[in-house]
Amino acid sequence: MRDSQPRTIYLKDYEVPAFLIDSTELRIELGETETRVISRLQMRRNPASRRTGPELVLHGRDLQILGLAINGIALGEGDYFFAEEELTINRVPDSFIFAAEVLIKPQDNTSLEGL
C-alpha cells in the first residue's frame, strides 16, 4: 500500500495537453469489493501542443485494465504499455474514440485521488 505525499505543482511546469477531450461518457458500477469504470472519450490532438508523437499517454493508479479500444477496435497487449501510473498507447489517429473498462478498489485508495 502506498501513501502519497502532497507535492507542489508550479505554473511554470504547466504544459498544454497533447490531446483534447470533446465528450466523455462514464458508467460507474459500484460493488462491495470493487468498482467497474467504463469510459468512452471522444479525443483529438491539440493543435496548440508541441507534442507530436503518435502515442497517447494517460495517468491512472491502482487499477486493473479489463479492456481498451480505439474507434471500436480492441487493443492487444502489444498495442499499449501500462506500468505504475502511466498507460501509453503506441499509435493513435489524430481524432478517435478511446474506450476503457477498468476495475478499481476505492476502499484501498490511500492517495485520496480519484474515486
mmCIF file of all heavy atoms in Angstrom, residues 27 29 34-39 62-69 74-77 80 82 87 98-105:
data_model
loop_
_atom_site.group_PDB
_atom_site.id
_atom_site.type_symbol
_atom_site.label_atom_id
_atom_site.label_comp_id
_atom_site.label_asym_id
_atom_site.label_seq_id
_atom_site.Cartn_x
_atom_site.Cartn_y
_atom_site.Cartn_z
ATOM 1 N N ARG A 27 -19.607 5.245 -17.086
ATOM 2 C CA ARG A 27 -20.530 4.383 -16.356
ATOM 3 C C ARG A 27 -19.736 3.802 -15.194
ATOM 4 O O ARG A 27 -18.695 3.180 -15.397
ATOM 5 C CB ARG A 27 -21.087 3.272 -17.237
ATOM 6 C CG ARG A 27 -22.200 2.488 -16.497
ATOM 7 C CD ARG A 27 -22.954 1.577 -17.405
ATOM 8 N NE ARG A 27 -22.242 0.319 -17.483
ATOM 9 C CZ ARG A 27 -22.230 -0.474 -18.540
ATOM 10 N NH1 ARG A 27 -22.853 -0.122 -19.636
ATOM 11 N NH2 ARG A 27 -21.579 -1.612 -18.513
ATOM 12 N N GLU A 29 -19.999 1.335 -11.945
ATOM 13 C CA GLU A 29 -20.768 0.277 -11.295
ATOM 14 C C GLU A 29 -20.122 -0.022 -9.948
ATOM 15 O O GLU A 29 -19.058 -0.643 -9.881
ATOM 16 C CB GLU A 29 -20.806 -0.966 -12.176
ATOM 17 C CG GLU A 29 -21.453 -0.716 -13.527
ATOM 18 C CD GLU A 29 -21.349 -1.893 -14.479
ATOM 19 O OE1 GLU A 29 -20.722 -2.924 -14.119
ATOM 20 O OE2 GLU A 29 -21.886 -1.781 -15.600
ATOM 21 N N GLU A 34 -15.236 -4.004 -5.246
ATOM 22 C CA GLU A 34 -14.575 -3.362 -6.380
ATOM 23 C C GLU A 34 -15.576 -2.530 -7.157
ATOM 24 O O GLU A 34 -16.781 -2.706 -7.042
ATOM 25 C CB GLU A 34 -13.912 -4.402 -7.290
ATOM 26 C CG GLU A 34 -14.880 -5.386 -7.894
ATOM 27 C CD GLU A 34 -14.193 -6.538 -8.584
ATOM 28 O OE1 GLU A 34 -13.011 -6.802 -8.300
ATOM 29 O OE2 GLU A 34 -14.843 -7.180 -9.410
ATOM 30 N N THR A 35 -15.049 -1.620 -7.951
ATOM 31 C CA THR A 35 -15.863 -0.739 -8.772
ATOM 32 C C THR A 35 -15.401 -0.865 -10.213
ATOM 33 O O THR A 35 -14.206 -0.802 -10.498
ATOM 34 C CB THR A 35 -15.737 0.721 -8.292
ATOM 35 O OG1 THR A 35 -16.224 0.789 -6.951
ATOM 36 C CG2 THR A 35 -16.520 1.665 -9.167
ATOM 37 N N ARG A 36 -16.359 -1.063 -11.101
ATOM 38 C CA ARG A 36 -16.074 -1.152 -12.537
ATOM 39 C C ARG A 36 -16.333 0.227 -13.149
ATOM 40 O O ARG A 36 -17.399 0.809 -12.936
ATOM 41 C CB ARG A 36 -16.965 -2.198 -13.173
ATOM 42 C CG ARG A 36 -16.709 -2.431 -14.653
ATOM 43 C CD ARG A 36 -17.639 -3.507 -15.186
ATOM 44 N NE ARG A 36 -17.449 -4.753 -14.476
ATOM 45 C CZ ARG A 36 -16.729 -5.783 -14.928
ATOM 46 N NH1 ARG A 36 -16.153 -5.713 -16.104
ATOM 47 N NH2 ARG A 36 -16.612 -6.877 -14.211
ATOM 48 N N VAL A 37 -15.349 0.736 -13.877
ATOM 49 C CA VAL A 37 -15.486 2.029 -14.545
ATOM 50 C C VAL A 37 -15.364 1.797 -16.042
ATOM 51 O O VAL A 37 -14.365 1.257 -16.521
ATOM 52 C CB VAL A 37 -14.415 3.035 -14.065
ATOM 53 C CG1 VAL A 37 -14.581 4.364 -14.782
ATOM 54 C CG2 VAL A 37 -14.476 3.221 -12.552
ATOM 55 N N ILE A 38 -16.393 2.210 -16.759
ATOM 56 C CA ILE A 38 -16.423 2.073 -18.215
ATOM 57 C C ILE A 38 -16.477 3.489 -18.787
ATOM 58 O O ILE A 38 -17.385 4.257 -18.464
ATOM 59 C CB ILE A 38 -17.631 1.236 -18.663
ATOM 60 C CG1 ILE A 38 -17.560 -0.150 -18.008
ATOM 61 C CG2 ILE A 38 -17.685 1.130 -20.179
ATOM 62 C CD1 ILE A 38 -18.857 -0.907 -18.011
ATOM 63 N N SER A 39 -15.481 3.834 -19.585
ATOM 64 C CA SER A 39 -15.405 5.192 -20.120
ATOM 65 C C SER A 39 -15.297 5.172 -21.636
ATOM 66 O O SER A 39 -14.786 4.220 -22.235
ATOM 67 C CB SER A 39 -14.209 5.941 -19.523
ATOM 68 O OG SER A 39 -13.010 5.283 -19.858
ATOM 69 N N ASP A 62 -3.567 2.218 -9.304
ATOM 70 C CA ASP A 62 -4.320 1.221 -8.555
ATOM 71 C C ASP A 62 -5.543 0.728 -9.320
ATOM 72 O O ASP A 62 -6.671 0.762 -8.811
ATOM 73 C CB ASP A 62 -4.739 1.783 -7.185
ATOM 74 C CG ASP A 62 -3.546 2.244 -6.371
ATOM 75 O OD1 ASP A 62 -2.488 1.586 -6.454
ATOM 76 O OD2 ASP A 62 -3.662 3.242 -5.653
ATOM 77 N N LEU A 63 -5.321 0.296 -10.545
ATOM 78 C CA LEU A 63 -6.432 -0.199 -11.353
ATOM 79 C C LEU A 63 -6.020 -1.440 -12.129
ATOM 80 O O LEU A 63 -4.847 -1.676 -12.361
ATOM 81 C CB LEU A 63 -6.958 0.882 -12.302
ATOM 82 C CG LEU A 63 -5.977 1.526 -13.292
ATOM 83 C CD1 LEU A 63 -5.882 0.732 -14.573
ATOM 84 C CD2 LEU A 63 -6.424 2.938 -13.596
ATOM 85 N N GLN A 64 -7.035 -2.200 -12.507
ATOM 86 C CA GLN A 64 -6.822 -3.391 -13.334
ATOM 87 C C GLN A 64 -7.521 -3.145 -14.667
ATOM 88 O O GLN A 64 -8.726 -2.873 -14.703
ATOM 89 C CB GLN A 64 -7.416 -4.619 -12.652
ATOM 90 C CG GLN A 64 -7.335 -5.868 -13.494
ATOM 91 C CD GLN A 64 -8.098 -7.034 -12.851
ATOM 92 O OE1 GLN A 64 -8.584 -6.959 -11.744
ATOM 93 N NE2 GLN A 64 -8.195 -8.117 -13.595
ATOM 94 N N ILE A 65 -6.783 -3.218 -15.756
ATOM 95 C CA ILE A 65 -7.356 -2.991 -17.087
ATOM 96 C C ILE A 65 -8.086 -4.242 -17.537
ATOM 97 O O ILE A 65 -7.514 -5.327 -17.581
ATOM 98 C CB ILE A 65 -6.250 -2.609 -18.095
ATOM 99 C CG1 ILE A 65 -5.610 -1.284 -17.706
ATOM 100 C CG2 ILE A 65 -6.834 -2.545 -19.513
ATOM 101 C CD1 ILE A 65 -4.400 -0.911 -18.534
ATOM 102 N N LEU A 66 -9.364 -4.075 -17.885
ATOM 103 C CA LEU A 66 -10.158 -5.181 -18.416
ATOM 104 C C LEU A 66 -10.250 -5.122 -19.934
ATOM 105 O O LEU A 66 -10.372 -6.148 -20.586
ATOM 106 C CB LEU A 66 -11.566 -5.161 -17.813
ATOM 107 C CG LEU A 66 -11.645 -5.299 -16.296
ATOM 108 C CD1 LEU A 66 -13.090 -5.216 -15.837
ATOM 109 C CD2 LEU A 66 -11.002 -6.596 -15.838
ATOM 110 N N GLY A 67 -10.221 -3.917 -20.488
ATOM 111 C CA GLY A 67 -10.291 -3.773 -21.933
ATOM 112 C C GLY A 67 -10.034 -2.344 -22.356
ATOM 113 O O GLY A 67 -10.392 -1.398 -21.652
ATOM 114 N N LEU A 68 -9.396 -2.203 -23.520
ATOM 115 C CA LEU A 68 -9.128 -0.904 -24.127
ATOM 116 C C LEU A 68 -9.463 -0.997 -25.602
ATOM 117 O O LEU A 68 -9.267 -2.046 -26.218
ATOM 118 C CB LEU A 68 -7.647 -0.520 -23.978
ATOM 119 C CG LEU A 68 -7.065 -0.441 -22.572
ATOM 120 C CD1 LEU A 68 -5.556 -0.256 -22.631
ATOM 121 C CD2 LEU A 68 -7.715 0.687 -21.793
ATOM 122 N N ALA A 69 -9.945 0.104 -26.188
ATOM 123 C CA ALA A 69 -10.257 0.110 -27.619
ATOM 124 C C ALA A 69 -10.062 1.513 -28.181
ATOM 125 O O ALA A 69 -10.233 2.513 -27.483
ATOM 126 C CB ALA A 69 -11.694 -0.356 -27.863
ATOM 127 N N ALA A 74 -10.546 -3.399 -30.389
ATOM 128 C CA ALA A 74 -9.897 -3.766 -29.136
ATOM 129 C C ALA A 74 -8.384 -3.745 -29.282
ATOM 130 O O ALA A 74 -7.841 -4.162 -30.305
ATOM 131 C CB ALA A 74 -10.361 -5.154 -28.700
ATOM 132 N N LEU A 75 -7.712 -3.261 -28.250
ATOM 133 C CA LEU A 75 -6.254 -3.225 -28.244
ATOM 134 C C LEU A 75 -5.711 -4.484 -27.597
ATOM 135 O O LEU A 75 -6.206 -4.918 -26.552
ATOM 136 C CB LEU A 75 -5.751 -2.000 -27.473
ATOM 137 C CG LEU A 75 -6.166 -0.632 -27.995
ATOM 138 C CD1 LEU A 75 -5.580 0.464 -27.128
ATOM 139 C CD2 LEU A 75 -5.750 -0.455 -29.442
ATOM 140 N N GLY A 76 -4.690 -5.051 -28.211
ATOM 141 C CA GLY A 76 -3.992 -6.191 -27.637
ATOM 142 C C GLY A 76 -2.853 -5.706 -26.763
ATOM 143 O O GLY A 76 -2.501 -4.527 -26.775
ATOM 144 N N GLU A 77 -2.251 -6.619 -26.025
ATOM 145 C CA GLU A 77 -1.179 -6.231 -25.113
ATOM 146 C C GLU A 77 -0.005 -5.560 -25.821
ATOM 147 O O GLU A 77 0.684 -4.744 -25.227
ATOM 148 C CB GLU A 77 -0.713 -7.430 -24.300
ATOM 149 C CG GLU A 77 -1.739 -7.838 -23.262
ATOM 150 C CD GLU A 77 -1.225 -8.919 -22.328
ATOM 151 O OE1 GLU A 77 0.004 -9.111 -22.235
ATOM 152 O OE2 GLU A 77 -2.064 -9.568 -21.704
ATOM 153 N N TYR A 80 -0.259 -1.426 -26.290
ATOM 154 C CA TYR A 80 -0.131 -0.466 -25.199
ATOM 155 C C TYR A 80 0.831 -1.001 -24.144
ATOM 156 O O TYR A 80 1.168 -2.178 -24.127
ATOM 157 C CB TYR A 80 -1.493 -0.154 -24.563
ATOM 158 C CG TYR A 80 -2.124 -1.319 -23.839
ATOM 159 C CD1 TYR A 80 -1.884 -1.538 -22.487
ATOM 160 C CD2 TYR A 80 -2.960 -2.213 -24.503
ATOM 161 C CE1 TYR A 80 -2.458 -2.607 -21.810
ATOM 162 C CE2 TYR A 80 -3.543 -3.279 -23.841
ATOM 163 C CZ TYR A 80 -3.283 -3.465 -22.495
ATOM 164 O OH TYR A 80 -3.849 -4.524 -21.833
ATOM 165 N N PHE A 82 1.410 -0.522 -19.827
ATOM 166 C CA PHE A 82 0.917 0.025 -18.571
ATOM 167 C C PHE A 82 1.891 -0.320 -17.465
ATOM 168 O O PHE A 82 2.189 -1.495 -17.247
ATOM 169 C CB PHE A 82 -0.467 -0.530 -18.239
ATOM 170 C CG PHE A 82 -1.059 0.034 -16.976
ATOM 171 C CD1 PHE A 82 -1.344 1.380 -16.871
ATOM 172 C CD2 PHE A 82 -1.314 -0.783 -15.889
ATOM 173 C CE1 PHE A 82 -1.886 1.912 -15.714
ATOM 174 C CE2 PHE A 82 -1.855 -0.273 -14.723
ATOM 175 C CZ PHE A 82 -2.145 1.082 -14.636
ATOM 176 N N LEU A 87 -0.337 4.794 -18.604
ATOM 177 C CA LEU A 87 -0.762 3.965 -19.722
ATOM 178 C C LEU A 87 -0.320 4.663 -21.002
ATOM 179 O O LEU A 87 -0.660 5.829 -21.219
ATOM 180 C CB LEU A 87 -2.288 3.796 -19.721
ATOM 181 C CG LEU A 87 -2.897 3.165 -20.971
ATOM 182 C CD1 LEU A 87 -2.487 1.698 -21.095
ATOM 183 C CD2 LEU A 87 -4.413 3.299 -20.953
ATOM 184 N N PHE A 98 -11.697 6.758 -27.621
ATOM 185 C CA PHE A 98 -10.962 5.876 -26.724
ATOM 186 C C PHE A 98 -11.951 5.290 -25.730
ATOM 187 O O PHE A 98 -12.693 6.026 -25.075
ATOM 188 C CB PHE A 98 -9.860 6.643 -25.987
ATOM 189 C CG PHE A 98 -9.213 5.853 -24.897
ATOM 190 C CD1 PHE A 98 -8.392 4.783 -25.200
ATOM 191 C CD2 PHE A 98 -9.423 6.160 -23.559
ATOM 192 C CE1 PHE A 98 -7.788 4.029 -24.191
ATOM 193 C CE2 PHE A 98 -8.829 5.426 -22.543
ATOM 194 C CZ PHE A 98 -8.013 4.362 -22.863
ATOM 195 N N ALA A 99 -11.968 3.971 -25.618
ATOM 196 C CA ALA A 99 -12.845 3.294 -24.661
ATOM 197 C C ALA A 99 -11.992 2.463 -23.719
ATOM 198 O O ALA A 99 -11.015 1.848 -24.139
ATOM 199 C CB ALA A 99 -13.851 2.409 -25.392
ATOM 200 N N ALA A 100 -12.372 2.465 -22.446
ATOM 201 C CA ALA A 100 -11.643 1.694 -21.440
ATOM 202 C C ALA A 100 -12.624 1.108 -20.437
ATOM 203 O O ALA A 100 -13.626 1.733 -20.103
ATOM 204 C CB ALA A 100 -10.632 2.571 -20.715
ATOM 205 N N GLU A 101 -12.292 -0.092 -19.974
ATOM 206 C CA GLU A 101 -13.023 -0.713 -18.885
ATOM 207 C C GLU A 101 -11.990 -1.164 -17.868
ATOM 208 O O GLU A 101 -11.063 -1.901 -18.208
ATOM 209 C CB GLU A 101 -13.837 -1.902 -19.381
ATOM 210 C CG GLU A 101 -14.699 -2.522 -18.320
ATOM 211 C CD GLU A 101 -15.654 -3.566 -18.851
ATOM 212 O OE1 GLU A 101 -15.811 -3.689 -20.079
ATOM 213 O OE2 GLU A 101 -16.245 -4.273 -18.012
ATOM 214 N N VAL A 102 -12.123 -0.671 -16.640
ATOM 215 C CA VAL A 102 -11.155 -0.976 -15.592
ATOM 216 C C VAL A 102 -11.866 -1.329 -14.292
ATOM 217 O O VAL A 102 -13.020 -0.962 -14.081
ATOM 218 C CB VAL A 102 -10.176 0.201 -15.346
ATOM 219 C CG1 VAL A 102 -9.408 0.549 -16.611
ATOM 220 C CG2 VAL A 102 -10.892 1.410 -14.796
ATOM 221 N N LEU A 103 -11.147 -2.037 -13.431
ATOM 222 C CA LEU A 103 -11.607 -2.320 -12.071
ATOM 223 C C LEU A 103 -10.736 -1.540 -11.100
ATOM 224 O O LEU A 103 -9.512 -1.496 -11.266
ATOM 225 C CB LEU A 103 -11.483 -3.805 -11.739
ATOM 226 C CG LEU A 103 -12.516 -4.751 -12.309
ATOM 227 C CD1 LEU A 103 -12.230 -6.177 -11.857
ATOM 228 C CD2 LEU A 103 -13.922 -4.349 -11.926
ATOM 229 N N ILE A 104 -11.381 -0.937 -10.128
ATOM 230 C CA ILE A 104 -10.652 -0.239 -9.079
ATOM 231 C C ILE A 104 -11.225 -0.658 -7.724
ATOM 232 O O ILE A 104 -12.320 -1.227 -7.658
ATOM 233 C CB ILE A 104 -10.721 1.294 -9.242
ATOM 234 C CG1 ILE A 104 -12.176 1.776 -9.194
ATOM 235 C CG2 ILE A 104 -10.043 1.739 -10.525
ATOM 236 C CD1 ILE A 104 -12.323 3.278 -9.188
ATOM 237 N N LYS A 105 -10.474 -0.370 -6.687
ATOM 238 C CA LYS A 105 -10.914 -0.670 -5.318
ATOM 239 C C LYS A 105 -10.824 0.618 -4.507
ATOM 240 O O LYS A 105 -9.799 0.885 -3.870
ATOM 241 C CB LYS A 105 -10.062 -1.778 -4.717
ATOM 242 C CG LYS A 105 -10.240 -3.089 -5.456
ATOM 243 C CD LYS A 105 -9.484 -4.203 -4.802
ATOM 244 C CE LYS A 105 -9.764 -5.486 -5.584
ATOM 245 N NZ LYS A 105 -9.199 -6.639 -4.954
#
